[in-house]
C-alpha cells in the first residue's frame, strides 16, 4: 500500500524517486507446529539475474549426539552420555505427567511417545529436530509427537517444562490422530493459544503457580478505565488466538491467563469440562461455537466473565494482604518512556555509590549491560551490547525465574557475568576503564552463571554445571584455576561471599514431597575450601539470590510464599527472619546499598521489571516463621543430599536406530474436460533424530502443459550444513514483454550447497549449480539454449535486531563471487561480483533509519545482466525495462521509518483466522541507482 507524493527525476540513465509511503504491520496466526521445510537459497544465473539473496542468523552445531533410548511404560526417552544421569528422574516425571494429563483429558493416551532429554541449554540449541532460539525451554512438534527439553540442573524445571510439553503432545494426540493426520494439522490454525498453551500450563499444577499469581495479580490490579468490570491490564482471551501480536515479555502473561482459564472452566462448570472442550474441538473449528455448546456462552461473553472473575479475585487478595506499589519501598532508578515492556534486573553498585550497573532489555533481546550515574542523576548508557564477535547472549534466568547474574569488583573497575558464544557458556569480564570484554575460557563447564567477587577481588564464586549437575565453584583470577565448593546432586545457585571471604551463602534445591511445590529452594552456607557446609535457612517456597550485608550480620534474599515473591532478611545475630516488602507484583535480585544505607531490588509491575532503591525506613520488618541454623560452626551434613536414583546403567538403554517416516503429505488432483488433469502435492519426510530431511513439491496441468517441481535433501548434525536438490519448470506459450513474440520455456537445475557458520552471526557459503534453459520462439522456431555450470562463494554477516515489530539495530552484509565456466557441457562463461550492505540506526522508540547499498558487476564472454527496477530495486521502475539493465549496477536505498500509530491493536475478529493490525508506520524514502555496460 502506497500513498503520498512522488517526485521523479531522470537523467542519463538514472532515476531517483523520493516519496512517502504508509505501511501496516500485522500479526498473523502462529501455531505450535513447526514445519521443518528446507528452502534452498540460491540464485540461477540467467541472462537476467535474480536479485534475491539470503541473510539470517545461524544455528551452530558443534556435535552429533550419540542417542540411546531408555523405554518406560509410555515413553521412549532419548538421551546421550551427558544427559543419562537425569533419565531416571525424567522417567518418573514423565509417567506422572501421563497420569495427570490423561486424567484431565479423560483419555488413556495410548501409544508410545518419543522424548528427547538434552543435558543443558547449549546442547538443546544444537537440536537437529527443530531450530531452537534463546528463551525456548521446550519444544513439541506434531508430526511424530516428539517433544524435547533441556536439563538446567533442577528437578523443578524438568518437572515443569516436561509436563508442559507433554500437555501439547496429548493435545495433538487427541486432536490430530488418525488417518489423514497431514490434513488435520491444517486445523491447528483454528485452535486458540489460550486453550493449547493454557492446558499445558494447567497440567503442570503447582510447579510454577507463584509466577502465575504474580503475572495475573499484576495485570488484574491496574489503574485505568475498566471494560466490562475487568482490569485493562488483562489480555482478552478472544485476542489470544495466537502470539504474533504480543509485545515483548507478554507471552508469559498469555500462557498464565490460559492456565487460569482452564482452572476457571473446571471450577465454575464442573470437573471434566476441559475434556469435553477438547472433544468438541475435534469436530468443530470456531471457538464461540464450542463454548456455546459447552457452557452456554460465546467466546466474547466467556472472556468477559473470566476477566471479571480474575479482576475481583486478585484485587481482593491485594487488599487483604496490604500489597502496595514498589515505590512504597524505594525510589525508581530505571525509567522507560515507551509502552513496550522491558526487564531491568540484577543491580550492582560501586563501593562509593557513584554508579549502578544492571541488565536491561530496553533495546531488545538479548539484554545488554547498562551503567547509570547516580549522584549526577545521569541517564543510562550501554557498556556491553552488540559485541557479536565475543558474546551472543546473556541470561536473565530461566523464563520467569529472574536470577542475579551480574557482579562488580570491589574496586568498581570490572563487571562479571555469565554469557554464551557458539552454544558454549563462559564467565565474562568487562573492564569499565579499558572497555575490554574477555572470556575466562571455562570450556569444561556446561553452563556458567551468577558470579560473585570475593572481598579482595582475587576470586570469583559462580554456579557451574558439570555432568548435568550444578554446583558452586571458585575461580582464582590470577591463575584461572577452578576448584569446587560444593559437590552434590542438588542444584546449587547464586553464591555470594561473606565479608571475610571465608564462606559463601547460596540457594540450593531441596525436595519436600509433602508440600504443594515439592521442589523448594533453601539457603545454605559453605566454606570456600569446600570442606564444610550447612543449611542456613528454610521456609516454605523458594529462597533465591541471597546476599550478605556489608557488616556480615544480615542476609537478604528473594522468597516466594503463598503466591507472592518478596524481599526477606535474616538477622544472623538474633536468628530472626523478617519480611521487608509487600508489593502487588513481585520482587527479585536484592542487593545492599554501599555501607548498608538501604537496599535495592528489581520489581515486576505493569508488565515490566524496574529497579528501586530505598532506605531502611522504607522497608517493613514483619517477623516470619523460618527455620534458621546459626553459624559460626559449619558442619558437614550428609542428609542435605537428595538420594541419587538408579542410573541408566542399572536399567539398560538401547542405541537409537535410523527410523524415517512421512511428516506431512498434502495431495490435490482433479480433472475437467476443459482444463485437463491437474495434480499437485507437498511431501515432507524426516528421521526420528532429525538428521535427514527430505522435501518435494510438484504441480502439473495437462491442459496447458504446465509442470513445476522441486526436491531437496538436507543433512543436519554437522557444523557444516549441506543440502542437495533439483527443481524445474516447463511453461506454456508466453509472450515476451520486450518483443511481443510467443515462446515456450523450460529449465531444470540441480544444486549442492554448503554453509559453514563461524558463529550465530557470520557464515561462509559455497554453491555448485548446473542449469539448463531452453527458450523456443513459436514464430521463428529459433531456440535459445543456455547451459550454465556455476560455482559461488559467499560471506554473510547478519546482526540485525529490533525490540518490537521492525529491525532498528545492527546490520547485514553479503559478499558473493560467482564463476560460470564452459565445462561439463556449459556454454556460459562469466564472473559475477556482488556486495549488499544493510544498516539500521535507531532514532528512538520504534523509529529507525535504514540504509541499503548494492553493487553488482559481471565480466567475461557472457556477462550477466542486472536490472535496476523490480522488487528490491529502485522503486517506480518495472523489472523488464531493458534500457535500465546492464552488466554493472550501483544502487542505494535510504528510508526513515517512523511509527504513525505505534500501538494500534486493531483486532480483525470478523475474519477467520483472526489477526491484528498492530501499528501503522510511515516511511520516507529516497532511491538512486544506475546501470552500465562494458565498452
Amino acid at each position: 500500500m502506497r500513498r503520498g507524493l512522488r517526485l521523479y527525476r531522470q537523467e542519463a540513465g538514472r532515476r531517483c524517486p523520493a516519496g512517502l509511503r504508509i505501511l501496516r504491520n500485522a500479526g498473523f496466526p502462529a501455531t505450535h507446529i513447526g514445519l521443518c521445510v528446507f528452502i534452498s537459497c540460491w540464485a540461477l544465473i540467467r541472462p537476467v539475474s535474480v536479485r534475491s539473496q539470503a541473510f539470517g542468523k545461524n544455528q551452530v552445531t558443534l556435535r552429533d549426539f550419540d542417542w540411546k533410548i531408555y523405554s518406560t511404560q509410555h515413553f521412549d526417552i532419548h538421551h546421550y552420555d551427558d544427559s543419562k544421569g537425569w533419565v531416571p528422574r525424567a522417567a518418573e516425571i514423565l509417567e506422572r505427567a501421563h497420569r495427570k494429563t490423561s486424567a484431565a483429558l479423560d483419555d488413556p493416551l495410548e501409544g508410545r511417545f518419543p522424548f528427547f532429554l538434552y543435558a543443558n541449554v547449549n546442547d538443546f540449541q544444537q537440536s537437529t529436530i527443530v531450530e531452537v532460539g534463546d528463551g525456548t525451554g521446550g519444544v513439541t512438534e506434531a508430526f511424530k509427537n516428539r517433544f524435547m527439553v533441556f536439563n538446567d540442573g533442577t528437578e523443578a524445571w524438568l518437572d515443569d517444562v516436561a509436563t508442559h510439553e507433554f500437555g501439547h503432545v496429548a493435545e495433538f494426540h487427541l486432536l490430530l490422530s488418525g488417518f489423514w493426520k497431514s490434513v488435520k494439522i491444517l486445523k491447528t490454525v483454528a485452535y486458540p493459544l489460550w486453550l493449547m498453551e493454557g492446558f499445558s500450563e494447567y497440567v503442570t499444577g503447582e510447579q510454577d503457580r507463584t509466577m502465575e499469581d504474580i503475572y495475573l495479580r499484576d495485570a488484574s490490579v491496574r489503574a485505568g478505565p475498566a471494560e466490562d468490570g475487568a482490569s485493562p491490564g488483562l489480555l482478552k482471551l478472544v485476542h489470544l488466538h495466537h502470539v504474533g501480536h504480543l509485545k515483548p515479555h507478554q507471552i508469559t502473561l498469555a500462557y498464565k491467563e490460559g492456565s487460569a482459564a482452564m482452572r476457571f472452566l473446571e471450577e465454575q462448570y464442573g470437573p471434566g469440562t476441559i475434556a469435553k472442550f477438547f472433544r468438541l474441538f475435534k469436530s468443530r473449528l470456531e471457538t464461540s461455537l464450542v463454548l456455546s455448546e459447552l457452557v452456554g456462552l460465546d467466546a466474547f461473553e466467556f472472556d468477559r466473565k473470566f476477566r471479571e472473575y480474575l479482576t475481583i479475585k486478585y484485587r481482593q487478595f491485594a487488599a487483604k494482604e496490604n500489597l502496595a506499589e514498589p515505590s512504597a519501598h524505594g525510589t525508581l532508578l530505571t525509567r522507560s518512556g515507551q509502552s513496550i515492556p522491558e526487564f531491568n534486573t540484577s543491580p550492582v553498585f560501586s563501593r562509593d555509590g557513584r554508579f549502578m550497573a544492571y541488565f536491561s532489555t530496553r533495546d531488545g533481546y538479548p539484554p545488554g549491560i547498562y551503567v547509570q550515574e547516580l549522584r549526577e542523576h545521569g541517564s543510562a548508557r550501554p557498556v556491553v551490547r552488540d559485541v557479536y564477535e565475543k558474546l551472543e547472549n546473556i541470561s536473565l534466568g530461566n523464563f520467569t525465574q529472574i536470577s542475579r547474574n551480574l557482579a562488580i569488583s570491589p574496586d568498581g573497575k570490572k563487571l562479571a557475568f555469565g554469557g554464551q558464544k557458539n552454544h558454549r557458556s563462559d564467565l565474562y569480564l568487562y573492564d569499565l576503564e579499558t572497555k575490554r570484554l574477555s572470556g575466562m575460557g571455562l570450556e569444561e563447564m556446561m553452563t556458567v552463571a551468577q558470579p560473585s567477587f570475593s572481598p579482595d577481588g582475587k576470586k570469583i564464586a559462580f554456579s557451574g554445571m558439570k555432568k548435568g549437575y550444578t554446583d558452586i565453584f571458585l575461580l582464582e583470577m590470577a591463575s584461572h584455576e577452578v576448584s569446587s565448593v560444593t559437590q552434590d546432586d542438588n542444584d546449587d545457585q547464586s553464591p555470594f561471599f561473606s565479608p571475610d571471604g571465608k564462606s559463601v551463602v547460596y540457594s540450593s534445591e531441596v525436595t519436600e514431597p509433602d508440600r504443594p511445590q515439592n521442589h523448594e529452594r533453601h539457603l545454605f552456607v559453605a566454606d570456600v575450601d569446600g570442606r564444610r557446609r550447612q543449611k542456613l535457612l528454610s521456609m516454605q517456597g523458594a529462597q533465591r539470590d541471597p546476599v550478605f550485608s556489608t557488616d556480615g550480620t544480615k542476609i537478604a534474599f528473594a522468597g516466594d510464599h503463598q503466591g507472592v515473591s518478596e524481599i526477606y532478611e535474616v538477622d544472623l545475630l538474633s536468628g530472626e527472619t523478617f519480611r521487608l516488602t509487600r508489593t502487588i507484583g513481585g520482587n527479585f535480585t536484592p542487593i545492599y546499598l554501599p555501607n548498608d544505607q538501604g537496599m535495592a531490588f528489581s520489581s515486576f509491575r505493569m508488565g515490566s521489571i524496574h529497579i528501586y532503591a530505598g532506605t531502611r525506613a522504607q522497608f517493613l520488618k514483619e517477623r516470619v516463621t523460618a527455620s534458621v541454623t546459626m553459624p559460626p560452626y559449619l558442619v558437614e551434613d550428609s542428609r542435605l543430599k537428595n538420594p541419587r536414583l538408579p542410573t541408566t546403567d542399572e536399567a539398560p538403554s538401547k542405541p537409537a536406530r535410523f527410523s524415517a517416516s512421512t511428516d506431512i503429505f498434502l495431495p490435490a488432483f482433479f480433472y475437467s474436460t476443459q482444463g485437463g488433469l491437474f495434480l499437485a502435492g507437498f511431501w515432507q519426510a524426516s528421521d526420528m533424530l532429525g538428521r535427514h530431511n527430505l522435501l518435494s513439491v510438484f504441480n502439473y496441468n495437462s491442459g496447458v502443459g504446465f509442470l513445476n517441481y522441486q526436491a531437496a535433501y538436507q543433512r543436519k548434525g554437522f557444523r557444516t550444513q549441506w543440502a542437495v536438490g533439483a527443481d524445474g519448470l516447463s511453461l506454456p506459450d508466453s509472450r515476451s514483454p520486450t518483443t511481443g513474440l510467443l515462446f515456450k520455456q523450460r529449465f531444470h537445475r540441480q544444486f549442492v550447497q554448503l554453509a559453514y557458520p563461524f558463529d550465530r552471526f557470520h557464515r561462509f557459503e559455497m554453491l555448485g549449480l548446473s542449469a539448463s534453459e531452453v527458450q523456443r520462439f513459436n514464430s521463428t522456431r529459433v531456440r535459445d539454449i543456455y547451459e550454465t555450470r556455476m560455482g559461488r562463494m559467499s560471506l554473510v554477516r547478519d546482526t540485525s535486531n529490533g525490540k518490537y515489530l521492525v529491525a532498528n539495530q545492527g546490520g547485514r552484509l553479503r559478499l558473493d563471487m560467482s564463476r560460470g565456466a564452459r565445462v561439463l557441457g556449459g556454454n556460459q562463461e562469466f564472473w559475477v561480483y556482488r556486495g549488499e550492505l544493510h544498516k539500521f540506526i535507531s532514532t528512538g522508540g520504534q523509529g529507525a533509519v535504514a540504509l541499503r547499498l548494492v553493487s553488482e558487476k559481471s565480466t567475461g564472454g557472457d556477462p550477466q545482466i542486472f536490472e535496476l527496477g523490480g522488487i528490491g530495486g529502485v522503486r517506480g521502475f518495472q523489472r523488464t525495462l531493458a534500457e535500465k539493465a546492464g552488466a554493472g549496477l550501483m544502487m542505494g536505498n535510504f528510508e526513515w521509518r517512523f511509527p504513525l500509530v505505534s500501538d494500534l491493536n486493531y483486532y480483525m475478529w470478523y475474519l477467520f483466522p483472526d489477526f491484528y493490525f498492530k501499528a501503522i508506520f510511515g516511511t520516507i524514502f529516497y532511491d538512486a541507482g544506475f546501470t552500465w555496460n562494458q565498452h
Side-chain angles (χ1 to χ4, degrees):
M1 190 173 188
R2 186 178 298 169
R3 299 176 184 170
L5 299 175
R6 289 184 187 169
L7 302 176
Y8 296 101
R9 177 169 59 89
Q10 185 172 351
E11 58 182 9
R14 301 170 185 253
R15 191 175 189 182
C16 306
L20 174 69
R21 63 175 177 173
I22 307 296
L23 298 178
R24 299 183 187 269
N25 283 61
F28 293 96
T31 69
H32 312 291
I33 303 174
L35 299 178
C36 302
V37 179
F38 169 74
I39 302 175
S40 56
C41 302
W42 76 91
L44 172 64
I45 302 299
R46 297 167 56 194
V48 178
S49 69
V50 179
R51 176 176 287 122
S52 61
Q53 303 291 335
F55 291 99
K57 307 292 194 304
N58 310 314
Q59 182 186 34
V60 182
T61 303
L62 303 177
R63 60 187 298 190
D64 192 10
F65 302 103
D66 183 16
W67 291 106
K68 296 179 176 61
I69 299 175
Y70 175 82
S71 296
T72 68
Q73 181 180 356
H74 297 100
F75 298 92
D76 289 329
I77 302 176
H78 293 69
H79 64 92
Y80 49 99
D81 286 346
D82 289 344
S83 63
K84 72 177 183 180
W86 281 85
V87 169
R89 300 183 191 185
E92 180 182 336
I93 288 169
L94 290 172
E95 289 296 340
R96 183 168 63 243
H98 188 278
R99 293 191 296 270
K100 291 165 55 179
T101 307
S102 60
L105 292 175
D106 192 21
D107 189 282
L109 299 177
E110 297 175 346
R112 304 200 59 76
F113 304 98
F115 171 74
F116 291 77
L117 178 60
Y118 291 86
N120 54 79
V121 64
N122 294 306
D123 287 356
F124 182 55
Q125 291 179 344
Q126 299 174 60
S127 171
T128 55
I129 297 173
V130 294
E131 290 193 15
V132 179
D134 297 319
T136 301
V139 178
T140 303
E141 60 86 32
F143 299 136
K144 294 179 172 62
N145 281 337
R146 293 173 292 190
F147 65 116
M148 58 213 75
V149 304
F150 70 85
N151 160 52
D152 80 333
T154 72
E155 288 192 44
W157 168 264
L158 188 60
D159 198 340
D160 185 25
V161 182
T163 303
H164 175 102
E165 295 304 328
F166 181 69
H168 290 317
V169 173
E171 293 167 341
F172 295 145
H173 180 80
L174 187 65
L175 296 172
L176 305 179
S177 60
F179 194 69
W180 287 122
K181 180 178 180 179
S182 294
V183 177
K184 291 181 180 179
I185 285 177
L186 301 179
K187 291 175 57 180
T188 56
V189 70
Y191 303 141
L193 168 81
W194 66 268
L195 169 66
M196 304 298 284
E197 293 294 349
F199 176 76
S200 285
E201 284 288 298
Y202 169 75
V203 294
T204 61
E206 299 295 318
Q207 291 306 319
D208 201 32
R209 186 65 183 274
T210 295
M211 199 55 61
E212 178 178 317
D213 287 332
I214 287 174
Y215 270 78
L216 295 181
R217 185 172 60 248
D218 172 71
S220 299
V221 186
R222 294 276 184 94
E227 182 178 344
D228 298 326
S231 168
L234 290 167
L235 302 171
K236 294 184 178 180
L237 292 183
V238 292
H239 291 184
L240 294 181
H241 198 89
H242 49 82
V243 300
H245 66 286
L246 296 176
K247 297 177 181 178
H249 304 302
Q250 280 191 332
I251 291 181
T252 299
L253 174 59
Y255 283 26
K256 301 305 184 184
E257 279 198 36
S259 175
M262 296 295 102
R263 194 172 293 107
F264 179 74
L265 279 170
E266 289 286 289
E267 293 176 355
Q268 299 295 315
Y269 300 98
T273 305
I274 294 175
K276 295 175 185 176
F277 200 174
F278 277 95
R279 288 195 181 91
L280 287 172
F281 250 120
K282 289 185 69 173
S283 57
R284 293 160 179 79
L285 289 176
E286 210 277 318
T287 308
S288 279
L289 294 178
V290 175
L291 283 172
S292 295
E293 189 170 344
L294 183 68
V295 299
L297 302 172
D298 65 14
F300 293 92
E301 281 298 308
F302 176 79
D303 172 40
R304 183 199 61 77
K305 186 174 181 179
F306 165 68
R307 288 184 295 110
E308 182 183 30
Y309 162 81
L310 286 186
T311 301
I312 294 173
K313 172 185 174 180
Y314 284 105
R315 288 186 176 180
Q316 288 179 346
F317 180 86
K320 177 183 176 182
E321 295 294 322
N322 296 317
L323 303 183
E325 298 294 338
S327 56
H329 304 298
T331 301
L332 179 66
L333 298 183
T334 57
R335 300 178 183 275
S336 174
Q338 305 180 44
S339 62
I340 301 172
E342 64 183 52
F343 280 10
N344 302 279
T345 69
S346 297
V348 293
F349 296 83
S350 60
R351 181 172 291 181
D352 58 7
R354 182 174 57 86
F355 67 87
M356 170 184 70
Y358 61 96
F359 293 137
S360 179
T361 63
R362 65 181 52 188
D363 290 318
Y365 196 90
I369 299 179
Y370 291 75
V371 167
Q372 183 170 326
E373 299 290 335
L374 298 176
R375 294 179 179 176
E376 293 81 11
H377 303 288
S379 59
R381 56 184 175 87
V383 295
V384 178
R385 193 185 67 180
D386 302 340
V387 285
Y388 306 109
E389 288 76 12
K390 294 184 178 181
L391 180 66
E392 294 174 349
N393 185 40
I394 301 172
S395 174
L396 300 179
N398 286 338
F399 284 90
T400 55
Q401 301 300 338
I402 302 300
S403 299
R404 183 183 67 248
N405 191 25
L406 183 64
I408 188 168
S409 60
D411 59 10
K413 295 180 179 180
K414 293 182 175 63
L415 299 174
F417 57 95
Q420 287 176 286
K421 171 71 174 180
N422 273 353
H423 306 310
R424 288 194 177 102
S425 293
D426 200 359
L427 188 64
Y428 288 85
L429 291 180
Y430 181 79
D431 192 308
L432 291 167
E433 292 185 342
T434 65
K435 298 180 173 55
R436 182 174 177 267
L437 177 68
S438 59
M440 301 303 293
L442 304 180
E443 297 181 356
E444 74 277 9
M445 296 289 172
M446 291 180 172
T447 62
V448 178
Q450 302 161 335
S452 172
F453 280 96
S454 62
D456 59 9
K458 296 180 179 180
K459 304 180 184 68
I460 294 180
F462 64 92
S463 61
M465 180 184 288
K466 275 188 174 182
K467 298 181 180 179
Y469 297 96
T470 305
D471 288 297
I472 305 302
F473 294 89
L474 197 66
L475 171 69
E476 295 283 348
M477 296 287 288
S479 64
H480 284 205
E481 292 184 1
V482 176
S483 58
S484 298
V485 177
T486 66
Q487 286 182 306
D488 55 53
D489 298 345
N490 296 355
D491 178 73
D492 301 331
Q493 294 185 11
S494 305
F496 196 91
F497 273 98
S498 60
D500 61 8
K502 296 180 179 180
S503 61
V504 292
V505 62
Y506 62 95
S507 171
S508 185
E509 186 178 62
V510 175
T511 299
E512 300 284 355
D514 298 331
R515 294 184 179 176
Q517 293 175 310
N518 54 0
H519 306 300
E520 296 188 344
R521 303 195 68 86
H522 297 165
L523 299 187
F524 290 72
V525 63
D527 282 341
V528 295
D529 58 17
R531 289 185 297 178
R532 297 178 297 178
R533 72 172 193 140
Q534 175 186 322
K535 182 183 287 187
L536 173 68
L537 179 143
S538 63
M539 53 189 289
Q540 186 172 344
Q543 295 91 61
R544 301 176 184 274
D545 295 322
V547 292
F548 273 101
S549 61
T550 304
D551 60 9
T553 62
K554 299 178 179 62
I555 293 176
F557 60 93
D560 66 68
H561 178 60
Q562 296 181 342
V564 296
S565 179
E566 302 288 6
I567 306 302
Y568 293 82
E569 185 179 61
V570 56
D571 190 319
L572 298 179
L573 300 178
S574 66
E576 294 180 305
T577 303
F578 301 95
R579 178 175 176 169
L580 303 186
T581 61
R582 284 185 175 270
T583 53
I584 295 171
N587 296 330
F588 310 92
T589 62
I591 192 75
Y592 287 97
L593 295 176
N595 300 318
D596 292 339
Q597 296 175 349
M599 191 179 298
F601 59 95
S602 54
S603 186
F604 178 74
R605 187 69 179 112
M606 307 297 285
S608 291
I609 294 180
H610 285 286
I611 297 172
Y612 294 79
T615 62
R616 278 283 175 182
Q618 292 176 279
F619 290 95
L620 307 174
K621 197 173 182 179
E622 299 177 357
R623 186 177 288 105
V624 297
T625 301
S627 174
V628 180
T629 304
M630 297 295 295
Y633 301 106
L634 299 177
V635 295
E636 186 175 6
D637 188 349
S638 60
R639 295 171 300 170
L640 300 179
K641 297 183 179 181
N642 284 336
R644 184 185 287 273
L645 297 175
T647 67
T648 53
D649 294 333
E650 300 171 41
S653 302
K654 58 185 179 181
R657 303 296 185 186
F658 175 81
S659 174
S661 61
T662 294
D663 293 332
I664 186 170
F665 175 52
L666 298 173
F669 61 90
F670 64 85
Y671 176 81
S672 68
T673 55
Q674 184 175 6
L677 178 66
F678 176 83
L679 296 173
F682 176 92
W683 178 60
Q684 177 183 306
S686 65
D687 69 314
M688 181 61 71
L689 303 181
R691 294 168 174 166
H692 307 274
N693 298 270
L694 185 62
L695 164 74
S696 67
V697 183
F698 74 93
N699 55 75
Y700 168 73
N701 189 335
S702 65
V704 296
F706 175 82
L707 171 66
N708 184 20
Y709 68 90
Q710 178 181 356
Y713 167 80
Q714 184 185 29
R715 175 63 165 93
K716 293 184 177 181
F718 305 109
R719 182 160 187 168
T720 301
Q721 303 168 11
W722 62 273
V724 296
D727 70 347
L729 178 65
S730 179
L731 295 174
D733 288 348
S734 302
R735 189 173 298 276
S736 171
T738 56
T739 65
L741 299 176
L742 290 174
F743 69 97
K744 290 182 172 62
Q745 182 182 28
R746 69 175 186 272
F747 65 85
H748 305 276
R749 53 187 171 184
Q750 305 82 40
F751 74 93
V752 58
Q753 186 175 28
L754 305 177
Y756 182 86
F758 300 109
D759 53 33
R760 198 175 303 189
F761 309 104
H762 306 82
R763 68 178 177 269
F764 172 74
E765 293 181 356
M766 292 185 66
L767 170 73
L769 184 143
S770 173
S772 301
E773 181 177 6
V774 178
Q775 292 182 352
R776 184 169 69 92
F777 288 87
N778 297 357
S779 58
T780 62
R781 302 289 181 178
V782 174
R783 294 176 57 177
D784 291 333
I785 301 176
Y786 302 96
E787 294 287 347
T788 303
R789 309 293 181 260
M790 188 199 78
R792 185 175 71 200
M793 294 188 297
S794 306
L795 288 173
V796 184
R797 170 186 170 95
D798 191 338
T799 62
S800 59
N801 195 14
K803 184 175 181 179
Y804 184 49
L805 294 179
V806 295
N808 61 5
Q809 303 170 39
R812 306 181 184 118
L813 174 66
R814 185 179 183 101
L815 301 175
D816 297 313
M817 182 177 69
S818 305
R819 169 61 168 163
R822 292 188 174 97
V823 297
L824 302 175
N827 60 13
Q828 301 289 297
E829 189 274 323
F830 56 83
W831 288 90
V832 174
Y833 308 93
R834 185 180 192 277
E836 182 169 358
L837 172 67
H838 299 185
K839 182 64 177 177
F840 303 96
I841 303 171
S842 175
T843 57
Q846 288 299 292
V849 170
L851 304 174
R852 176 173 177 256
L853 298 175
V854 179
S855 176
E856 296 176 294
K857 174 66 176 177
S858 180
T859 62
D862 303 284
Q864 306 303 290
I865 304 301
F866 309 110
E867 299 162 325
L868 193 61
I871 297 175
V874 175
R875 284 161 280 200
F877 280 117
Q878 296 180 6
R879 176 177 289 276
T880 55
L881 291 177
E883 67 272 16
K884 303 304 178 188
L889 179 145
M890 290 289 292
M891 178 175 58
N893 307 103
F894 170 88
E895 293 186 358
W896 175 33
R897 306 168 181 174
F898 50 92
L900 297 176
V901 183
S902 59
D903 204 4
L904 179 62
N905 276 332
Y906 182 66
Y907 176 47
M908 306 287 285
W909 61 268
Y910 42 83
L911 298 179
F912 182 82
D914 54 354
F915 65 97
Y916 272 81
F917 278 117
K918 272 308 281 185
I920 299 178
F921 277 74
T923 300
I924 295 178
F925 65 89
Y926 184 88
D927 294 349
F930 63 93
T931 59
W932 71 93
N933 286 298
Q934 301 179 86
H935 298 289

